[in-house]
Amino acid sequence: NWFVLAVGVAYTLLITPIIVRAFGQEQYGVWSFLNGLLAYSDVLYFGLGSAFVKYVAESRARGDQAAVNRLASVVTLIYAALGGVCLLVALGLSGFVTAIFAQPLSPDVARAATFTCMLLGAQLFFVFVGSAFVGLLSGYERYDLANAVYLVGVVIRFVATPLLVRPGHDPLLTLAVLSAVTSGL
């Protein structure tokens, strides 16, 4: 877990300057604002993840696979519903996102901001559904697999971001697509 944390910090420190150079002030402001909104989605977990891990581990210790299956089904359904709500909110917000900023956005950035909002909603959906699988792995004490999946995503973004996110190549939309795709994977 410490290694995964260190990799995440190193990724952020190394990739942020690349993103800032590719985006410029206007696009980086849009990206920062929209990603800041994503942070509010953490409230929607309501402690369900910790409870899920606990009850999966208890059911597994009792040898009650049927209880593990029921828990996994219910939590996956709840997370998919929460992710679906987040996606719908992002889709609804995408039509108005350009009006939120104090300064009017340039037409290209406004178009990219609209689609970025939609893609970040899709990313939230994938993150919520993926959280059910991470919780299941954690209940089975397979932190190694959960961390391996996270590390693969970081490596993909670490390699793809400098290659794909470049000035003049719609960097805001490119990074949004990259983020949504890696979350989906």
Side-chain angles (χ1 to χ4, degrees), residues 1-2 4 134 137 142-153:
N1 287 339
W2 285 105
V4 167
V134 170
L137 288 172
R142 293 305 309 262
Y143 303 105
D144 57 326
L145 291 177
N147 287 336
V149 169
Y150 173 78
L151 287 173
V152 167

Side-chain angles (χ1 to χ4, degrees), residues 99-171:
I100 293 173
F101 296 97
Q103 301 274 336
L105 299 175
S106 66
D108 287 342
V109 174
R111 180 188 58 77
T114 299
F115 287 112
T116 296
C117 189
M118 292 177 190
L119 287 164
L120 291 178
Q123 177 182 341
L124 273 179
F125 175 78
F126 294 138
V127 166
F128 270 105
V129 172
S131 294
F133 293 102
V134 170
L136 189 61
L137 288 172
S138 297
Y140 275 88
E141 298 180 31
R142 293 305 309 262
Y143 303 105
D144 57 326
L145 291 177
N147 287 336
V149 169
Y150 173 78
L151 287 173
V152 167
V154 169
V155 168
I156 290 170
R157 287 191 314 272
F158 187 75
V159 171
T161 300
L163 294 174
L164 300 175
V165 180
R166 298 185 320 236
H169 292 85
D170 210 353

